Amino acid sequence: MLTPVCVWLLFGIGQPLRNRLGAVAGIVALEGATIVMASTGHHPEPPPVAAIMSPRPVPSPTESACPVRLPHPDEVRLSRTHVTILWPAVIGECETAAVVLGEKGNRLRVWVHEGALVGNHRASVVPVNIDGRTAFVDVARKLARHRWVAVDGRSGERIPTITHG
């Protein structure tokens, strides 16, 4: 609050010389106090940082002890933000599956792989869910709005597709 007063006294029209000298002395005193305060090493405590919990890694098919399976999808359900792939469940179904989705024209190629995955792939590793005799995975994926034809990535066979929204 002292600085604006000093500036007004220093540059104000019609101010006498002693007011201007007093303003210069005030500004010099403020700058000196700032330099002394900065050099004393008194620094306020940093604000506490919230603990950040690292996300738990999703187990990959390479870490699981289940046998390699290449399920053939029976059905694909599409929405604006998710692709759900369903196939017949078997005893000893893996906990996770690697899924690769490829778009070409209006075809959505689907590859599902359970078990150890060898090589470098652009696969999404997702948990396998079981509902009665059906196993399924849900992959978060935004799709363009048009008529998709889902096909098995290995055989090229068409997979029945249900579109929701």
Side-chain angles (χ1 to χ4, degrees):
M1 193 139 132
L2 187 58
T3 303
V5 172
C6 289
V7 170
W8 178 69
L9 291 173
L10 184 62
F11 297 109
I13 296 175
Q15 292 294 329
L17 182 61
R18 71 186 148 127
N19 287 356
R20 292 177 196 265
L21 291 176
V24 169
I27 290 174
V28 169
L30 286 171
E31 278 300 312
T34 302
I35 292 170
V36 168
M37 291 292 288
S39 65
T40 60
H42 173 69
H43 300 286
E45 290 293 319
V49 178
I52 299 173
M53 192 165 79
S54 62
R56 193 169 49 115
V58 176
S60 73
T62 58
E63 297 170 357
S64 63
C66 66
V68 172
R69 282 189 6 103
L70 307 174
H72 173 73
D74 281 348
E75 183 179 307
V76 173
R77 296 179 186 164
L78 304 175
S79 73
R80 294 283 291 151
T81 58
H82 289 277
V83 175
T84 304
I85 305 161
L86 300 93
W87 65 89
V90 297
I91 296 173
E93 195 77 51
C94 291
E95 292 182 9
T96 61
V99 178
V100 176
L101 300 173
E103 299 175 27
K104 185 172 184 182
N106 71 332
R107 299 214 178 260
L108 181 66
R109 296 180 62 101
V110 177
W111 288 270
V112 180
H113 184 99
E114 291 183 291
L117 186 62
V118 180
N120 186 11
H121 301 278
R122 305 177 327 246
S124 299
V125 177
V126 292
V128 174
N129 303 295
I130 308 233
D131 184 15
R133 295 183 181 181
T134 303
F136 66 95
V137 292
D138 190 39
V139 180
R141 176 77 173 261
K142 289 191 177 189
L143 295 172
R145 200 181 271 257
H146 62 76
R147 288 197 173 265
W148 288 101
V149 176
V151 295
D152 188 321
R154 292 178 187 86
S155 67
E157 294 176 23
R158 187 174 179 164
I159 305 168
T161 306
I162 297 173
T163 304
H164 301 282

